[in-house]
């Protein structure tokens, strides 16, 4: 009887342990991308919060948990946005790093959970977003055969955050 109780307890806790492990791995990937992009060994981040009223005016979901100012020694380096987008049957996690002028410096697919369409994670395809600072500049992003849904989702997610950033700038939040 005791062994079955332990087994039940382990089965109940295992999903939490796995999700915590996945979160830690995701956190390491994000940290590596930030350090690599800004060429720093250390940095600090500060979550950006916005009013409920302003949140209703922007297409992206923004909170202190997914949009950050990145600083080094008090100097603003840029911004980081984390989100998920749908693929055919699951969501994928992605990251958008902005320079201090709010142009995209880097995009990265952090976790892709599908069998097909993972090509959107290729550096070559993602480089198309680099330098873009306005949602209207996304028209020339190339398609990928076999990843249509993921490509559309990534473009929509990036378009939404770019539109949101424009509104936040106009409202002196950034």
């Amino acid at each position: 009887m005791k062994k079955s109780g332990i087994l039940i307890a382990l089965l109940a806790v295992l999903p939490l342990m796995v999700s915590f492990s996945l979160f830690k791995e995701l956190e390491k990937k994000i940290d590596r991308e930030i350090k690599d992009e800004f060429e720093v060994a250390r940095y600090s981040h500060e979550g950006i919060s916005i009013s409920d009223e302003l949140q209703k005016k922007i297409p992206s979901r923004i909170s202190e948990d997914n949009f950050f100012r990145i600083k080094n020694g008090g100097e603003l380096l840029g911004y980081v946005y984390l989100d998920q987008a749908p693929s055919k049957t699951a969501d994928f996690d992605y990251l958008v790093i902005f320079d201090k002028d709010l142009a995209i410096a880097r995009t990265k697919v952090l976790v892709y959970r599908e069998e097909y369409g993972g090509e959107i994670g290729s550096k070559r395809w993602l480089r198309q977003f680099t330098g873009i600072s306005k949602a209207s500049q996304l028209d020339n992003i190339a398609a990928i055969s076999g990843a249509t849904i993921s490509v559309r989702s990534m473009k929509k997610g990036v378009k939404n955050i770019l539109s949101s950033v424009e509104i936040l700038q106009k409202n002196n939040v950034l």
Side-chain angles (χ1 to χ4, degrees):
M1 195 71 166
K2 266 188 163 179
K3 284 185 179 179
S4 67
I6 292 171
L7 182 60
I8 291 170
L10 280 173
L11 290 174
V13 174
L14 189 60
L16 293 173
M17 291 170 49
V18 169
S19 71
F20 181 74
S21 161
L22 291 174
F23 177 75
K24 277 298 201 191
E25 189 58 37
L26 192 61
E27 193 174 46
K28 287 179 187 176
K29 285 181 181 183
I30 294 165
D31 183 59
R32 193 171 34 244
E33 292 298 321
I34 291 170
K35 287 178 177 176
D36 186 47
E37 180 57 39
F38 295 117
E39 299 176 346
V40 294
R42 299 175 62 142
Y43 64 90
S44 62
H45 65 280
E46 169 188 299
I48 297 172
S49 64
I50 61 173
S51 68
D52 291 339
E53 182 181 319
L54 190 53
Q55 182 67 57
K56 292 174 186 173
K57 296 179 182 179
I58 62 174
S60 292
R61 175 184 45 87
I62 289 182
S63 73
E64 292 180 348
D65 297 326
N66 73 341
F67 196 47
F68 307 93
R69 282 183 185 87
I70 304 298
K71 295 181 177 182
N72 182 337
E75 177 190 350
L76 177 66
L77 299 174
Y79 300 84
V80 172
Y81 177 71
L82 305 165
D83 202 6
Q84 290 187 326
S87 52
K88 187 173 183 177
T89 62
D91 289 341
F92 60 92
D93 301 320
Y94 69 95
L95 170 78
V96 180
I97 300 177
F98 294 91
D99 63 22
K100 61 185 171 187
D101 298 321
L102 293 162
I104 295 176
R106 178 182 299 210
T107 52
K108 173 82 173 177
V109 174
L110 299 166
V111 178
Y112 193 79
R113 297 173 181 89
E114 293 277 351
E115 203 171 309
Y116 298 103
E119 297 87 355
I120 66 161
S122 78
K123 288 181 181 180
R124 182 174 178 229
W125 187 78
L126 290 169
R127 264 195 304 262
Q128 298 177 87
F129 294 99
T130 303
I132 294 176
S133 60
K134 302 221 177 292
S136 61
Q137 298 172 314
L138 289 172
D139 296 337
N140 295 325
I141 301 296
I144 299 174
S145 179
T148 305
I149 295 169
S150 300
V151 166
R152 286 181 184 160
S153 292
M154 183 71 176
K155 282 176 64 174
K156 181 180 179 187
V158 172
K159 181 179 183 174
N160 286 347
I161 189 58
L162 286 168
S163 296
S164 297
V165 163
E166 288 178 49
I167 293 167
L168 295 176
Q169 282 180 297
K170 288 178 186 170
N171 285 274
N172 298 314
V173 175
L174 302 178

